Amino acid sequence: MGHAAFLENQPPKSELASLAWSGLRKFRVTGIKEESEIIRSFWLTPEDGGKLPLFRAGQYVPVRSIPPEGGRPLTRTYSLSAAPGDHRFIRISVKRESGAFNGELPGGVFSNFLHDTITLGSSLSIGAPRGSFVLDAANSDPVCLLSAGVGITPVQSMLEHLVFRDDRRPIWFIHGNRNGKLHAFRDEVRKFVIDRPWITSRVCYSRPTRSDTRLQSFDQIGRVDHALIDSLNMPEDTQYFLCGPLGFLRDFYHGLRRRGIDAARIHYEHFGTAIDLAIEASQESKPIRPPKTRDASPATDATVTFAHSGVVVQWDDSNESILELAESAGISAMYSCRSGVCQTCSCHLQEGEVEYFNEPAADPEPGEVLICSARPKGNIVLDL
């Protein structure tokens, strides 16, 4: 998958405390495969020779490396695209992100780095698997795996896991793509479906090639739509797992809710800026609280100065993080994962000290602080 901000994939504090390993671990690239014209898989094996713990199908890992030309280390998160169970390696599958507006904007730095630079034997630093966009092993409800584009990566892990467990609950695997050239894991899914009547697969191509039509490599022309979902007559107790572009997620999340599907049965993941579709559905929004003044009665004596914004706020323990304090003060701060993984929220700490209540996946740069996972230890000044 690409750079991800995981909607449901925020590891709870209890999970962070029990991650399989702390910080980053060195892995070597031991396999590479072209899954499509834009998606490449990388098999990663621990350099220390140790075995890997089981992860949960649908989880992701932080990946960090330093480009050959030097500069700041790059950190992104990628879904584990193979089933858990093999203690020797993990697999990530990465879409090359090209520049938007017909190449007028630069492409994805890290994805292009992986595609253009990483070869067999290359080393990458990997954080422990994490995330809650996962199959519940104790649940035997029917499953619908619904994806578009590179969103196939975590649900591919889920499908493999169900197949390898010989789990015979009803399973629907529904995927949309532009055409066969961009469709990853097509042959693997076909192999899984053969002779397994409890698995139903549907593939939609919005712009199939002549080769796709000749080979009958898809089921219908167009995008995955609600008419297709309705035609499959899935039972009421189906668990839905959605992954794809934001428009795709919004369409199907809200559509399923309108059909009466309980929100607890709809699980989703978005590779981009964090959103909450449940809040959208209820048309709720979090109010912006006015910043507290120095004369307010604080829970601690700390003040947080946002130097760039010219705002001084008294720390209030009702805020979980410095990021939440900034938001409550009406200050716009960049963030993505809100769990110390992606480092999008990194800010320069001009004065003072902080403490982390969530262990970051990787140490921030010297003088930087990940405000989504930190609280002040006293008065601090941030370049925000």
Side-chain angles (χ1 to χ4, degrees):
M1 87 182 207
H3 179 204
F6 296 85
L7 282 291
E8 281 205 321
N9 255 3
Q10 312 305 327
K13 295 176 187 177
S14 59
E15 182 181 331
L16 284 167
S18 60
L19 290 175
W21 63 84
S22 178
L24 298 174
R25 186 175 175 187
K26 292 288 186 182
F27 280 67
R28 193 164 299 280
V29 178
T30 53
I32 299 176
K33 180 184 176 183
E34 303 295 331
E35 304 290 359
S36 75
E37 287 189 351
I38 58 173
I39 296 178
R40 178 178 294 179
S41 286
F42 299 88
W43 279 258
L44 306 168
T45 303
E47 290 188 3
D48 58 20
K51 288 187 176 181
L52 292 171
L54 286 177
F55 59 92
R56 299 179 67 185
Q59 287 190 306
Y60 66 94
V61 291
V63 181
R64 192 177 200 184
S65 190
I66 301 177
E69 64 270 18
R72 290 188 61 169
L74 300 173
T75 303
R76 298 293 186 270
T77 52
Y78 293 99
S79 293
L80 293 162
S81 58
D86 196 311
H87 295 278
R88 298 168 298 170
F89 64 83
I90 56 176
R91 183 180 76 181
I92 60 173
S93 300
V94 180
K95 175 188 174 185
R96 180 193 289 274
E97 297 290 350
S98 58
F101 299 104
N102 295 320
E104 293 182 13
L105 295 180
V109 174
F110 200 83
S111 67
N112 282 275
F113 166 72
L114 290 175
H115 277 254
D116 295 336
T117 306
I118 296 300
T119 60
L120 290 176
S122 294
S123 182
L124 292 167
S125 298
I126 310 293
R130 62 194 72 199
S132 59
F133 180 70
V134 294
L135 286 170
D136 182 356
N139 191 303
S140 59
D141 290 344
V143 169
C144 175
L145 306 174
L146 183 59
S147 62
V150 73
I152 195 172
T153 49
V155 298
Q156 176 69 17
S157 174
M158 295 178 184
L159 179 65
E160 287 192 12
H161 181 57
L162 291 166
V163 169
F164 294 164
R165 288 181 56 195
D166 195 27
D167 191 319
R168 302 198 176 195
R169 75 180 83 182
I171 301 166
W172 288 267
F173 190 90
I174 305 169
H175 180 67
N177 221 316
R178 180 173 297 180
N179 55 50
K181 294 180 180 180
L182 307 181
H183 185 181
F185 309 119
R186 180 177 63 189
D187 294 338
E188 288 186 35
V189 172
R190 283 179 172 176
K191 179 182 66 176
F192 293 150
V193 171
I194 292 175
D195 298 327
R196 291 184 175 91
W198 57 92
I199 303 179
T200 300
S201 173
R202 292 290 185 273
V203 173
C204 300
Y205 287 168
S206 60
R207 299 180 185 176
T209 64
R210 291 182 179 179
S211 176
D212 294 330
T213 303
R214 184 178 69 254
L215 298 174
Q216 298 182 333
S217 55
F218 62 100
D219 297 299
Q220 71 178 52
I221 296 177
R223 300 179 185 275
V224 178
D225 57 23
H226 293 283
L228 172 60
I229 303 300
D230 291 341
S231 71
L232 296 173
N233 296 316
M234 295 178 224
E236 292 183 2
D237 59 347
T238 299
Q239 297 280 340
Y240 295 85
F241 293 85
L242 283 57
C243 191
L246 181 55
F248 173 87
L249 291 179
R250 280 182 167 140
D251 182 24
F252 282 97
Y253 182 90
H254 298 313
L256 291 170
R257 294 290 289 122
R258 285 192 294 269
R259 290 172 52 199
I261 306 299
D262 191 282
R265 293 189 173 277
I266 309 173
H267 317 275
Y268 61 90
E269 182 168 281
H270 173 232
F271 303 162
T273 303
I275 60 170
D276 191 323
L277 296 180
I279 289 179
E280 284 189 358
S282 61
Q283 296 183 334
E284 295 175 359
S285 62
K286 183 178 178 180
I288 295 177
R289 301 191 301 272
K292 298 190 176 183
T293 67
R294 291 179 184 269
D295 296 327
S297 299
T300 69
D301 293 330
T303 59
V304 179
T305 300
F306 298 102
H308 185 75
S309 303
V311 176
V312 179
V313 187
Q314 196 78 48
W315 173 254
D316 181 349
D317 282 336
S318 67
N319 294 288
E320 183 177 54
S321 65
I322 298 170
L323 172 60
E324 189 171 310
L325 179 72
E327 292 173 333
S328 72
I331 296 171
S332 178
M334 292 186 64
Y335 70 90
S336 186
C337 71
R338 301 184 80 105
S339 60
V341 174
C342 70
Q343 304 206 352
T344 303
C345 70
S346 180
C347 291
H348 180 60
L349 181 64
Q350 296 181 353
E351 296 179 19
E353 295 182 73
V354 301
E355 58 184 1
Y356 286 99
F357 59 88
N358 271 351
E359 179 186 354
D363 292 334
E365 289 289 286
E368 298 285 305
V369 58
L370 305 184
I371 61 173
C372 75
S373 301
R375 300 188 183 105
K377 292 181 71 175
N379 297 340
I380 63 171
V381 180
L382 290 166
D383 185 17
L384 180 64

